[in-house]
């Protein structure tokens, strides 16, 4: 399978993950180096302190990690499924207004590919920093993803 071009990952996410479309997540930059996803300030998604609800912030961060995973491993998706294994979220300060989740893979991609090709199920970490419009990091999401081989049945 060919790699998925970065500019096609946002529309793909909107199509495959209904929550992404519901939240109106905006994929502004997606490449093998990083994914940038904007969560716009929507009154219906606010919490009791006037910022986006923690679950909505989580969704934006997790979606950014998924986008960069697709950008890096999209060529394997005819043989593998990308799945999150564990996700942790650190809420560092109250988030208000539009937020931007910027995700990068922090593990060695070549090692993960080699493990997959050797028949193992690699795991790799992707970190998304979520910042406000002033550029301050309000939360950080760390997602451990895996490539699970697709078992073909005849």
């Amino acid at each position: 399978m060919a790699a998925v071009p970065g500019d096609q990952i946002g529309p793909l996410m909107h199509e495959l993950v209904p929550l992404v479309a519901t939240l109106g997540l905006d994929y502004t930059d997606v490449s093998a180096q990083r994914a940038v996803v904007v969560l716009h300030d929507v009154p219906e998604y606010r919490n009791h302190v006037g910022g986006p609800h923690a679950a909505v912030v989580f969704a934006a961060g997790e979606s950014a990690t998924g986008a960069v995973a697709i950008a890096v491993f999209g060529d394997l998706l005819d043989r593998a499924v990308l799945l999150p294994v564990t996700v942790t979220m650190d809420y560092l300060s109250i988030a208000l207004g539009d937020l931007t989740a910027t995700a990068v893979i922090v593990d060695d991609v070549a090692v993960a590919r080699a493990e997959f090709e050797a028949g193992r199920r690699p795991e790799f970490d992707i970190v998304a920093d979520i910042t406000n419009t002033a550029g301050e990091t309000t939360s950080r999401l760390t997602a451990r993803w895996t490539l699970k081989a697709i078992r073909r049945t005849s």
Side-chain angles (χ1 to χ4, degrees):
M1 177 174 207
V4 180
D7 63 346
Q8 292 179 16
I9 293 174
L12 178 66
M13 295 288 282
H14 277 254
E15 179 183 327
L16 296 177
V17 184
L19 179 63
V20 167
T22 297
L23 295 176
L25 297 180
D26 187 9
Y27 295 76
T28 61
D29 179 23
V30 180
S31 69
Q33 287 70 46
R34 70 180 191 160
V36 179
V37 175
V38 176
L39 170 65
H40 298 284
D41 184 19
V42 176
E44 291 80 11
Y45 303 147
R46 290 184 187 153
N47 60 19
H48 62 288
V49 296
H53 190 279
V56 176
V57 177
F58 180 97
E62 192 273 345
S63 294
T65 68
V68 78
I70 292 170
V72 172
F73 297 108
D75 61 311
L76 299 176
L77 294 182
D78 59 339
R79 301 185 292 139
V81 177
L82 280 163
L83 297 168
V85 176
T86 304
V87 183
T88 60
M89 185 78 162
D90 296 317
Y91 295 95
L92 307 172
S93 64
I94 293 175
L96 300 171
D98 290 354
L99 300 177
T100 301
T102 303
V104 297
I105 293 184
V106 296
D107 285 330
D108 190 324
V109 171
V111 169
R113 283 181 173 278
E115 287 181 10
F116 180 78
E117 295 301 343
R120 294 189 296 275
R121 187 171 164 177
E123 293 184 359
F124 49 91
D125 288 343
I126 305 176
V127 174
D129 281 341
I130 295 98
T131 57
N132 59 21
T133 56
E136 301 162 335
T137 302
T138 60
S139 52
R140 178 169 293 121
L141 180 141
T142 302
R144 173 155 292 172
W145 286 82
T146 190
L147 284 164
K148 181 180 179 190
I150 297 172
R151 306 271 186 246
R152 304 283 183 211
T153 58
S154 359

